[in-house]
Every structure is written in C-alpha cells, then in structure tokens.
Amino acid sequence: MVGFGYDSHKLVDGKPLLLGGIRIESDKGALAHSDGDVVLHSLCDSMLGASGLGDIGELFPDDDIQYKGADSSIFVSEILKMLHERSLIVNNVDITILLEKPKLKSYKESIRNNISKLIKIPVERINIKAKTNEGMGFIGKMEGIACYCICEIQKKASD
Ligand code: MG
C-alpha cells in the first residue's frame, strides 16, 4: 500500500530548524506547536495514509499541551508501533523538501541515516530530495518550508 504526506510551516527568526530530526544551521526556523519538523510530519502522514489510519493532527492534536515543543520523532515512533501492531512494515520512503535556503546537500545523508534509525529500515530504502522554489511564492520568499513524502508499506511476511 502507498501513502502520501504533505506538511508546511511558517519560517520565523530565532527558531530552530529541524529536518528529519537533524538541526539545520539557518537564520529562520519553523513556527509550530511541536518542533515543526516538516520532514517527520509528512513522513508520519504518509505512513498513516498507507495504513488507512487517519492523519497526524487526529493522533497528536496541535492544541494538546503535552505536544508543545514535542520532538517529532516521538510521533514517528508511535505510528511505527501502530503499524507493527498490524504486522505492517515500511518498504521504502521518498521525501522532497522545499526550502529556498540554506542548501541541504550536506545534511541529506544525516537526515537519511536518522530516518533509517527511526523507522528501522535500511538507508538504501530512504531517499531525500531537496529543492528550492526558484524564488517563487512563500517558499521562494523564505516565508515557509514544505515537504512531500510518499511511502510504501507492506504486510510482514509471516514466519
Ligand atoms: Mg507540521
């Protein structure tokens, strides 16, 4: 089964920027209830989409005080647990990050490795792409960041 996820956050001065659980050196960071990690949020929604389990906002509401400043890797782990309880495993993940600057080239491998650890699949099954928006729109003007994620999940082979 295939699932799709999308997330975006406003970028503001003086906030940390976290992508895939990795801290990015940037003047601006995401304004959010949780840590605002668009990569992990879109990953969560793609996993929920593929398994027919709803969306991240239903599971971890942004008006719930317990998720204020939350480390988004907690959301990924909780969702992975839900999948495993249903004998589902993630086959592969493909992520596209939209950010005007900084360039993410030097961070891609760390993001990939961290996601591999979080969802417990080999790094070869995770792909990270980063794009600017050629100066256009809210991404281009550095008003925000967005991320798309697609993943495939499958039933664990019975042993
Ligand atoms: Mg989000």
Side-chain angles (χ1 to χ4, degrees):
M1 294 92 82
V2 171
F4 174 72
Y6 169 79
D7 193 39
S8 62
H9 280 278
K10 196 172 183 175
L11 288 174
V12 294
D13 291 332
K15 285 270 185 185
L17 182 62
L18 281 148
L19 295 175
I22 302 298
R23 176 77 185 258
I24 310 295
E25 248 184 80
S26 168
D27 299 338
K28 291 184 167 193
L31 184 66
H33 183 67
S34 68
D35 64 8
D37 191 322
V38 289
V39 172
L40 296 187
H41 294 178
S42 59
L43 171 65
C44 284
D45 265 354
S46 73
M47 291 164 70
L48 291 168
S51 52
L53 291 170
D55 69 42
I56 190 175
E58 290 167 11
L59 291 175
F60 311 105
D62 65 4
D63 55 359
D64 188 329
I65 191 76
Q66 68 169 311
Y67 302 123
K68 191 164 166 49
D71 173 353
S72 297
S73 60
I74 293 165
F75 305 154
V76 179
S77 301
E78 283 296 315
I79 294 165
L80 189 69
K81 207 164 81 185
M82 289 166 68
L83 263 59
H84 288 170
E85 281 163 6
R86 290 161 178 80
S87 298
L88 297 168
I89 50 166
V90 180
N91 187 34
N92 75 302
V93 169
D94 186 20
I95 292 167
T96 301
I97 306 165
L98 295 173
L99 178 66
E100 204 63 24
K101 62 177 186 206
K103 292 269 183 245
L104 297 175
K105 200 176 175 186
S106 59
Y107 294 102
K108 281 179 176 173
E109 213 46 42
S110 315
I111 295 173
R112 206 175 170 213
N113 285 324
N114 196 45
I115 291 175
S116 163
K117 267 188 250 158
L118 285 176
I119 59 172
K120 303 178 173 47
I121 65 171
V123 282
E124 298 76 33
R125 289 171 178 264
I126 296 158
N127 192 58
I128 309 289
K129 309 191 292 297
K131 302 183 79 67
T132 71
N133 215 36
E134 307 266 329
M136 298 179 288
F138 76 92
I139 302 284
K141 294 185 179 70
M142 281 293 286
E143 290 167 3
I145 179 169
C147 185
Y148 300 103
C149 179
I150 193 162
C151 83
E152 188 192 41
I153 62 169
Q154 61 188 47
K155 275 268 180 205
K156 206 156 96 183
S158 50
D159 21 41

